[in-house]
Amino acid sequence: MFRTALRNVLAHKARLLMTVLAVMLGVAFVSGTLVFTNTISDALQNSSAKGFDHVDVAVTPEFQKAEGDKVGEEPELTQALVDDSARVPGAASAIGVVSGFTAVADKDGDLIGDGWSTKGGNYWGEKDPRYPLTDGHAPKGEGEILIDSKTAERTGYGVGDTVRMSVDGPVISPKVVGVFTTDDGGVAAGGSLTLFDTATAQKVFGKAGTYDEIDVEAKAGVTQAALKAELDKALPKDLVETTTGEKLADDQAEAIAASMSGMKQGLLVFAGIALFVGTFIIANTFTMLVAQRTKELALMRAVGASRRQVTRSVLIEAFVVGVVAAVTGLLAGIGIGAGMRALMSSMGQVVPDGPLVVSTGTIVAALAVGVLVTMLAAWLPGRRAAKIPPVAAMSSVHATATTKSLVLRNTLGALVSAAGIAVVLAATTMGGTDGQAPMGLGAVLLIIGVFILTPLLSRPLIAAAAPVLRVFGVSGKLARQNSVRNPRRTAATASALMIGLTLITGMTVMAGSLQKSIDKMASAAIEADYVVSMANGNYLSPDVGEKLGGTDGVTAISPLRNSAARIDGDTEYLTGVNGSTIAGLTDLKVEQGAFEVGGTKVVVDGDTAKEKGWKAGSDFTVAYEDGEKQRLTVAGVYEGNDMLSGIMLDNSVLTPHMTDPVDMQVMVKMSDGASSAAKDSLQQALDTNPAIKIQDKKDISNEVAKMFTMMLNMLYGLLAMAVIVAVLGVINTLAMSVFERSQEIGMLRAIGLDRKGIKRMVRLESLVISLFGGVLGIGLGVFFGWAAGELMGSTIATYELVLPWGRMGVFLLLAAAVGVLAALWPARRAARLNMLQAIKAE
């Protein structure tokens, strides 16, 4: 039986090639994802681990929890603590670390890095062991900085150059006095690191005389654990926490692995989709191969082969195919992993240097996935073939499915589909994250149910195309009949395309609807012409608001400040605003009272008011971050959203209680509204600062939409894999269908249908099957997009369903293009059949 199975594989090389390709693509995607994520993760971990070479124990402040009316706070690490750390037994040195955000402009005035990765810090003394200098000298005073060597290489800056940069808003122009090397993971990943002397770093980052961390290095022969124990004895336990360098490196490695796991899981989901689609093709292929060899298998049964042996022979064929596909897929995946890394570099995403990581787990996963998927898909056709009695198989009595089996299949499909719809509809009534798991379960059940029902659905839907097909005469009529001749095969072929288009359509509906909701949210909440903020989301210096307030054309302005406070034993965050202008800068719906902010009068969003039991006219006591208390009155309750919410009070009341007043953003109203000239005047007022964003309502909406657009474009690219697999499935089905109908095609040629007519028939058949899958996929995608929108609508008040008719039309054209392209080779093959040889074929 083993030799027979191998001969069958070799005898159908051309037919099984499509199956190998389908599995190979899925395996390549899985192995490529694992290689890519493992390579990047390993490089980042190695790079970050080097950053702890000079840290044996790190001393960090222990956050003090909020109690009573006291706001939670972080104690300060003073110079005295640095000195105490350096004096403990076993310590060789102690370095006070200061860090923060720095926005450095390149020579074209553009921000280096992505905002979050442009960091700043302090250079300790004359020779900081953390940052070896390659050129220049240590910085001294506010006018001198050091830059890392990778930034110097990317930007062309060198010793003596003046750099435009910002820390919290205002532009400064220090001179580069040195270049250093660093193993910092952020720099290795494309960021930048700027160093000031310690006193300047403390000043510019708002940490006068204090540090963020103390790094202690052990003497030779002293272990990190021993040094940690000595520090724990010497330093106040209630104010600081000590962590060994090994623990920091391990935690960093875990954090990097966790950050990569999301990307890995997302990519593997799409690999799974490609394999899921490929499973239909494999099952379809083996079903047709087994059907073509029915008499052969029956003869084997007649001469003594058992049912188990027949099933085993089919599974051996699947095993051989799976191994070949898995090995080629693994090799292709290694190439994909290397290619994705190169692509990131070409797109400006700098990744740390390191070897390509092909782990044992990746190899095992690729082989297991390829072999198991193929064998599972082939098991049912093999089992079905083994059940056919030899006499029935010889006379091909089995060819038509029994009424009982069709009724059973349709009943099961209807029950599973109904269960899926019920679970999805139930999930739409749940709130937020609670409905995500049921929604996913319902979606899977519905897709499986529709797949089971597809043979039943194929007849009425394909029949609807009959009037159009009549235009093509005999070829069109024959194409329609061929499409519904074997509903199960048609269903399996169309389902591959259906799944891909379901996901594409569903995500497109969701993205379009979210874009609309964000537009509505921005226009509903903000009346200001511009919102000014830092590029990385950090706080702005109050100087920014003062400069903007004195700019020509500005008619109203309001900085938004944030401060923790205690109310009724809970920590709440207060938003400070300009009470006299905020009403004109926002357009928030007032639910109770009046939108009046000033003195002790505040406004509160509806959710907070409901939680606290407040209404217009309610009084409450607030304990500010400096410990002082004040009685405030709720003047009005407004409808909050993701852009504006919380307790708003006047800045003149809040600011005196803040130790370090900074702004989250600044709202600006212009006399002539938003325009390019108005934006230019604001930029000039801020010295064309690369660290500051000046956005109108459309800019804000587009910024949020960019994330969805990026995700959607990635989705389109990844799901192209599933579409390619679906194309292979259609080609495979048509090629085997042509082979099966060789005699029939010969007869058609003999009675007068020319080669063009044969080609047209096969192409139309392919087109009809592809459009059938496309219609089902788009229909399911719209349903899932609506359901997901209902779920999101519970948290986004402005959510509104938007059906992208234009894109859905493109998707339907895509399905048609798949059908046309997939039919090229089978149609050519059918037209070239020798009619006499075809008529004699069995």
Side-chain angles (χ1 to χ4, degrees):
M1 296 301 293
F2 182 74
R3 287 196 299 270
T4 303
L6 288 179
R7 279 200 301 270
N8 283 323
V9 171
L10 296 174
H12 303 103
K13 292 189 289 289
R15 285 180 237 161
L16 289 173
L17 177 62
M18 299 297 178
T19 303
V20 170
L21 284 172
V23 182
M24 185 200 76
L25 285 171
V27 172
F29 208 164
V30 171
S31 54
T33 295
L34 294 175
V35 168
F36 171 68
T37 52
N38 288 342
T39 297
I40 300 299
S41 180
D42 185 71
L44 287 173
Q45 286 176 14
N46 290 338
S47 177
S48 66
K50 291 178 182 176
F52 297 107
D53 286 348
H54 296 282
V55 183
D56 287 313
V57 178
V59 181
T60 52
E62 180 77 34
F63 186 77
Q64 307 296 297
K65 294 181 180 179
E67 292 181 4
D69 292 332
K70 184 181 178 183
V71 176
E73 62 182 3
E74 201 169 73
E76 296 178 338
L77 299 181
T78 62
Q79 183 62 44
L81 284 173
V82 177
D83 296 338
D84 291 343
S85 300
R87 285 193 293 264
V88 301
S93 63
I95 294 175
V97 178
V98 184
S99 59
F101 165 72
T102 57
V104 181
D106 60 21
K107 292 186 176 181
D108 295 325
D110 298 323
L111 179 66
I112 298 171
D114 297 320
W116 62 269
S117 60
T118 54
K119 298 184 297 183
N122 67 310
Y123 189 83
W124 188 259
E126 291 296 322
K127 193 173 182 181
D128 193 326
R130 299 171 298 168
Y131 308 116
L133 287 173
T134 60
D135 192 14
H137 60 81
K140 296 176 182 178
E142 295 184 20
E144 297 183 353
I145 61 168
L146 304 181
I147 60 172
D148 66 90
S149 56
K150 289 188 180 294
T151 298
E153 182 183 335
R154 288 196 293 267
T155 61
Y157 285 136
V159 174
D161 289 335
T162 299
V163 176
R164 295 182 72 254
M165 60 181 295
S166 170
V167 174
D168 59 358
V171 173
I172 57 178
S173 300
K175 180 187 289 186
V176 177
V177 296
V179 177
F180 63 92
T181 59
T182 176
D183 294 316
D184 186 282
V187 173
S192 67
L193 180 60
T194 307
L195 301 180
F196 304 86
D197 66 58
T198 298
T200 302
Q202 290 174 327
K203 179 180 179 181
V204 298
F205 297 133
K207 299 164 186 174
T210 64
Y211 302 94
D212 297 301
E213 183 178 305
I214 301 171
D215 291 343
V216 187
E217 191 168 4
K219 290 179 179 178
V222 179
T223 65
Q224 292 186 354
L227 179 59
K228 180 180 185 300
E230 292 294 338
L231 286 165
D232 288 339
K233 291 178 189 176
L235 303 180
K237 293 181 181 179
D238 57 334
L239 295 180
V240 300
E241 181 181 6
T242 58
T243 311
T244 63
E246 290 176 358
K247 180 70 165 54
L248 289 172
D250 291 342
D251 290 345
Q252 184 81 347
E254 286 181 17
I256 290 170
S259 67
M260 295 299 295
S261 69
M263 178 189 294
K264 183 186 292 186
Q265 289 172 7
L267 292 171
L268 287 175
V269 164
F270 296 111
I273 293 167
L275 284 170
F276 186 49
V277 172
T279 302
F280 293 132
I281 299 170
I282 299 163
N284 211 10
T285 300
F286 277 94
T287 298
M288 289 185 282
L289 287 174
V290 169
Q292 291 170 10
R293 289 162 39 210
T294 299
K295 291 186 179 180
E296 175 192 328
L297 294 175
L299 183 60
M300 291 171 62
R301 289 287 312 282
V303 298
S306 65
R307 287 184 176 181
R308 187 173 295 177
Q309 284 178 312
V310 170
T311 304
R312 194 182 302 147
S313 72
V314 176
L315 289 178
I316 289 171
E317 291 181 48
F319 176 78
V320 173
V321 171
V323 168
V324 172
V327 171
T328 54
L330 174 61
L331 295 174
I334 294 172
I336 289 173
M340 289 176 73
R341 180 176 174 176
L343 180 64
M344 283 187 68
S345 298
S346 67
M347 294 173 65
Q349 300 292 321
V350 181
V351 295
D353 296 329
L356 201 65
V357 179
V358 184
S359 65
T360 304
T362 299
I363 296 171
V364 171
L367 293 175
V369 166
V371 174
L372 288 177
V373 165
T374 309
M375 292 186 71
L376 285 173
W379 175 75
L380 188 59
R383 186 169 175 272
R384 190 184 299 135
K387 281 187 171 183
I388 301 168
V391 175
M394 291 288 192
S395 57
S396 296
V397 174
H398 71 289
T400 306
T402 62
T403 303
K404 181 180 177 181
S405 70
L406 290 175
V407 169
L408 181 64
R409 176 174 180 140
N410 292 339
T411 302
L412 178 63
L415 290 174
V416 174
S417 298
I421 292 172
V423 173
V424 169
L425 292 177
T428 60
T429 63
M430 301 178 184
T433 56
D434 294 338
Q436 290 179 3
M439 180 78 70
L441 174 63
V444 171
L445 287 173
L446 182 54
I447 288 175
I448 293 172
V450 170
F451 170 66
I452 297 172
L453 281 175
T454 308
L456 178 67
L457 297 172
S458 65
R459 290 186 179 276
L461 288 177
I462 291 176
V468 178
L469 292 174
R470 287 197 194 100
V471 175
F472 299 96
V474 175
S475 297
K477 184 177 181 181
L478 290 170
R480 185 183 66 80
Q481 291 174 347
N482 290 334
S483 301
V484 296
R485 177 185 295 181
N486 191 333
R488 288 184 176 179
R489 183 190 301 164
T490 297
T493 305
S495 294
L497 192 58
M498 176 192 78
I499 293 169
L501 286 179
T502 295
L503 292 165
I504 290 175
T505 305
M507 288 300 295
T508 303
V509 170
M510 288 171 57
S513 301
L514 283 170
Q515 174 68 65
K516 182 72 172 179
S517 68
I518 293 163
D519 287 343
K520 287 178 67 177
M521 188 186 299
S523 60
I526 301 172
E527 274 294 307
D529 294 314
Y530 292 101
V531 175
V532 180
S533 60
M534 291 292 282
N536 70 330
N538 271 19
Y539 291 119
L540 286 163
S541 165
D543 294 347
V544 172
E546 292 173 10
K547 283 186 177 182
L548 292 172
T551 304
D552 291 340
V554 173
T555 58
I557 189 168
S558 176
L560 271 64
R561 291 177 185 167
N562 193 263
S563 176
R566 297 285 284 177
I567 301 173
D568 298 331
D570 297 324
T571 299
E572 300 288 345
Y573 286 89
L574 309 176
T575 301
V577 297
N578 187 331
S580 61
T581 61
I582 189 65
L585 294 168
T586 58
D587 188 19
L588 298 167
K589 182 181 177 182
V590 179
E591 297 175 343
Q592 295 178 30
F595 198 92
E596 186 178 350
V597 180
T600 59
K601 291 183 179 180
V602 303
V603 291
V604 184
D605 70 280
D607 290 341
T608 302
K610 184 178 179 181
E611 179 187 342
K612 297 290 186 182
W614 296 339
K615 57 185 179 180
S618 297
D619 292 327
F620 63 92
T621 300
V622 59
Y624 296 108
E625 65 177 75
D626 63 355
E628 290 193 24
K629 296 182 181 180
Q630 188 173 20
R631 195 76 177 165
L632 301 176
T633 302
V634 178
V637 177
Y638 65 93
E639 185 180 299
N641 55 48
D642 289 343
M643 291 188 174
L644 291 171
S645 62
I647 303 169
M648 294 187 192
L649 71 163
D650 196 278
N651 273 325
S652 63
V653 176
L654 178 64
T655 302
H657 302 287
M658 297 177 68
T659 54
D660 184 22
V662 286
D663 299 330
M664 297 180 292
Q665 57 188 34
V666 180
M667 290 184 170
V668 181
K669 188 81 171 176
M670 306 296 291
S671 57
D672 297 325
S675 65
S676 57
K679 190 171 185 177
D680 287 343
S681 68
L682 296 179
Q683 287 177 334
Q684 289 171 12
L686 298 175
D687 300 323
T688 318
N689 194 323
I692 295 180
K693 296 185 296 186
I694 301 174
Q695 299 173 298
D696 60 19
K697 287 185 279 189
K698 191 64 179 174
D699 293 332
I700 295 171
S701 177
N702 288 341
E703 184 177 53
V704 180
K706 271 183 185 177
M707 293 185 290
F708 298 113
T709 304
M710 187 182 300
M711 289 172 59
L712 201 59
N713 289 337
M714 285 180 63
L715 183 72
Y716 288 159
L718 295 171
L719 290 180
M721 184 75 73
V723 174
I724 291 170
V725 175
V727 171
L728 294 174
V730 178
I731 295 173
N732 214 10
T733 300
L734 290 174
M736 292 190 171
S737 179
V738 167
F739 177 82
E740 284 182 355
R741 304 199 318 257
S742 295
Q743 193 175 55
E744 175 190 319
I745 291 171
M747 289 295 296
L748 289 171
R749 290 289 316 282
I751 61 176
L753 190 61
D754 60 11
R755 289 185 175 181
K756 285 185 178 180
I758 295 292
K759 283 184 180 180
R760 190 180 301 120
M761 176 188 73
V762 176
R763 287 170 183 164
L764 289 172
E765 180 183 347
S766 175
L767 184 64
V768 167
I769 292 173
S770 297
L771 286 174
F772 168 56
V775 169
L776 282 181
I778 292 171
L780 282 173
V782 169
F783 175 72
F784 289 139
W786 166 81
E790 289 295 303
L791 192 62
M792 289 187 293
S794 62
T795 56
I796 303 176
T798 55
Y799 186 85
E800 177 185 335
L801 180 68
V802 175
L803 294 181
W805 295 106
R807 291 203 178 189
M808 288 193 292
V810 171
F811 298 156
L812 202 58
L813 289 174
L814 174 65
V818 166
V820 172
L821 291 172
L824 292 177
W825 178 64
R828 187 167 176 268
R829 184 183 176 196
R832 294 179 66 182
L833 284 175
N834 184 294
M835 70 179 72
L836 295 178
Q837 290 179 354
I839 290 170
K840 288 190 296 180
E842 293 186 6

